[in-house]
Amino acid sequence: MNIVIFGPPGAGKGTQSNIIVKKFNLHQLSTGELLRKEIQNKTDLGQHISSIINEGNLVSDQIVGNLIEKYISNNLYKNRLIFDGYPRNLIQAKNLDYMLKKYDQKIDLVLKLSVKLETIKKRISERKTLEKRVDDNEKIAIKRFETYENNIKPIIDFYKKTDLLKVINGETTITEISDEISGLIESIKGWL
Ligand code: AP5
Ligand code: MG
């Protein structure tokens, strides 16, 4: 079972991935978190990407592609990954298919969390005080939202063709959303 979860900033990708990995014994692969770790650890890569992230732009496809390959190629996570925040454009969506095939895997479910900009602003301003993410101010949150909107249409079309795409209303409660996602996972034949 490999799952893709995408949606705008603050949509609840991380929150839901967190719940689902525990419930179904999967592994969360958040490209945003991996990149933030590089910045915290002040690696060469971290120094290269910090201004890109702080401005709400996308890091290069090659950099994130390399990061995710480390997990896809690791037998420990085989068929147990939730991709949180990857893919973010059509090149990445195609690369994910290619990479999974290379390691004899596939995507079983694609979840799109839909949330309005007003809700995003509210959630991000609330989170700001708790997590202190450098990209969590209103201006950059709006920029992240725009980056998302500018890249997402081809991804939706790409996954619509595969019949794997499920659109979820991300405006309801955390529990309602995770129940809906659990139901979708449980309905996949041969999984449980
Ligand atoms: P990333 O870390 O993925 O950030 P993001 O997409 O902006 O999303 P967030 O993590 O802010 O939100 P989330 O959807 O996880 O929501 P959460 O569950 O936290 O990426 C950061 C940056 O890294 C990018 O801008 C880019 O620069 C770079 N990057 C990452 N991946 C890349 C890629 N593939 N290619 C290139 N560059 C990449 O929830 C938010 C808040 O709301 C929380 O406080 C939560 O408690 C609350 N909440 C959640 N759900 C609900 C609910 N249902 N009701 C009420 N509150 C809720
Ligand atoms: Mg997140």
Side-chain angles (χ1 to χ4, degrees), residues 129-150:
T129 46
L130 302 170
E131 288 190 22
K132 306 214 178 346
R133 260 175 63 169
V134 275
D135 58 350
D136 269 356
N137 62 62
E138 184 164 314
K139 185 169 156 258
I140 300 302
I142 293 171
K143 180 68 204 299
R144 279 151 63 202
F145 180 75
E146 286 167 359
T147 304
Y148 170 82
E149 291 275 296
N150 289 339

Side-chain angles (χ1 to χ4, degrees), residues 6-176:
F6 70 89
K13 302 182 290 295
T15 304
Q16 294 302 328
S17 299
N18 221 334
I19 297 171
I20 297 302
V21 291
K22 291 189 188 119
K23 192 161 174 186
F24 295 96
N25 188 29
L26 301 172
H27 184 83
Q28 178 183 1
L29 202 176
S30 159
T31 42
E33 271 175 27
L34 291 177
L35 294 167
R36 279 189 291 280
K37 250 183 220 147
E38 296 285 336
I39 297 174
Q40 274 154 21
N41 295 340
K42 296 193 167 53
T43 62
D44 288 347
L45 176 59
Q47 281 170 11
H48 170 70
I49 61 177
S50 77
S51 61
I52 302 173
I53 292 202
N54 296 350
E55 281 160 25
N57 292 315
L58 292 184
V59 171
S60 83
D61 297 329
Q62 172 135 34
I63 289 174
V64 277
N66 289 343
L67 285 178
I68 65 155
E69 185 162 15
K70 284 189 196 145
Y71 288 81
I72 297 175
S73 61
N74 186 334
N75 250 334
L76 214 62
Y77 307 124
K78 190 165 184 184
N79 284 318
R80 287 182 48 230
L81 287 169
I82 298 197
F83 295 92
D84 159 3
Y86 190 98
R88 272 172 138 99
N89 59 29
L90 186 59
I91 292 174
Q92 294 184 9
K94 289 184 175 169
N95 185 50
L96 182 59
D97 261 13
Y98 167 82
M99 208 98 90
L100 286 171
K101 218 173 260 169
K102 183 171 164 190
Y103 296 99
D104 194 26
Q105 299 176 61
K106 64 177 173 52
I107 299 169
D108 299 282
L109 182 61
V110 179
L111 303 166
K112 174 182 183 282
L113 285 176
S114 296
V115 180
K116 294 188 299 253
L117 181 58
E118 282 317 300
T119 310
I120 291 168
K121 284 188 201 164
K122 192 168 157 274
R123 288 188 189 168
I124 286 185
S125 77
E126 282 166 6
R127 185 177 63 184
K128 195 175 155 187
T129 46
L130 302 170
E131 288 190 22
K132 306 214 178 346
R133 260 175 63 169
V134 275
D135 58 350
D136 269 356
N137 62 62
E138 184 164 314
K139 185 169 156 258
I140 300 302
I142 293 171
K143 180 68 204 299
R144 279 151 63 202
F145 180 75
E146 286 167 359
T147 304
Y148 170 82
E149 291 275 296
N150 289 339
N151 287 290
I152 210 60
K153 172 101 180 23
I155 301 195
I156 295 172
D157 293 342
F158 180 79
Y159 285 126
K160 263 189 192 159
K161 284 186 217 142
T162 64
D163 227 23
L164 298 170
L165 179 70
K166 306 285 176 204
V167 180
I168 305 220
N169 176 8
E171 301 273 351
T172 60
T173 67
I174 291 174
T175 312
E176 278 173 294

